[in-house]
Amino acid sequence: MAVNYRTTLKTTRMQAVADDIDSGPAAGTLEIGDAGFASVLATFTCDDPCGTVVTDTLTFSGLTKSAVAAATGTAAAGRFKNSTGTVIVSGLTVGTAGTDIIISPSTSITVGQTVQWTAGTIQHSA
C-alpha cells in the first residue's frame, strides 16, 4: 500500500525544503553531475529565496540561469546545497525535457561550455 499525505502537510514539507536550500548566509546552489556524481559538471547559484511552493510542488525562481561547465560528461543527476555546502536534496533527474531539472542545450556537456538551467521543480510524493 502506498503512503499518502494530506495536502497541507505536503505544502509544509516542501516549504521546509525551500527554506533549507535558502539557509546559510547566501543563496543555495544547484550542482549538475554525471552518473554517481563522479564529476560536478556545472554549478548554478539559486535565487534567494530559491522558489515558491504551491500545494506539493517547489518551483525554482529566476530561470533561465547560465553557468560555465567545469568538467566534461553527460548530465545525469542534480543536487541542491545550501550556502554552507550542505546537501539538502539529491537524486534529482536532469535532462532537456520531462525531468526534475531542465537544462539546455544538451545533457552532453563539455568543459568551458555555457550550460543553461531553464526550468526546475521538486514535487512531493503521494
Side-chain angles (χ1 to χ4, degrees):
M1 178 183 289
V3 175
N4 294 292
Y5 299 92
R6 67 185 175 121
T7 301
T8 55
L9 182 56
K10 291 180 193 181
T11 303
T12 300
R13 292 176 81 178
M14 293 312 298
Q15 187 61 56
V17 170
D19 293 346
D20 209 7
I21 293 169
D22 294 335
S23 68
T29 58
L30 166 65
E31 291 181 339
I32 302 297
D34 56 8
F37 261 96
S39 296
V40 173
L41 304 176
T43 302
F44 300 87
T45 300
C46 299
D47 279 7
D48 194 359
C50 66
T52 57
V53 174
V54 176
T55 313
D56 63 349
T57 304
L58 167 57
T59 301
F60 292 93
S61 301
L63 302 178
T64 297
K65 293 186 177 294
S66 297
V68 175
T72 298
T74 301
R79 65 184 174 201
F80 285 93
K81 293 182 173 182
N82 68 12
S83 65
T84 65
T86 302
V87 175
I88 306 303
V89 179
S90 61
L92 299 169
T93 58
V94 175
T96 57
T99 55
D100 301 317
I101 304 299
I102 307 296
I103 61 170
S104 177
S106 168
T107 56
S108 180
I109 295 174
T110 303
V111 66
Q113 168 189 350
T114 298
V115 180
Q116 293 186 317
W117 172 22
T118 61
T121 58
I122 302 174
Q123 187 172 24
H124 194 288
S125 62

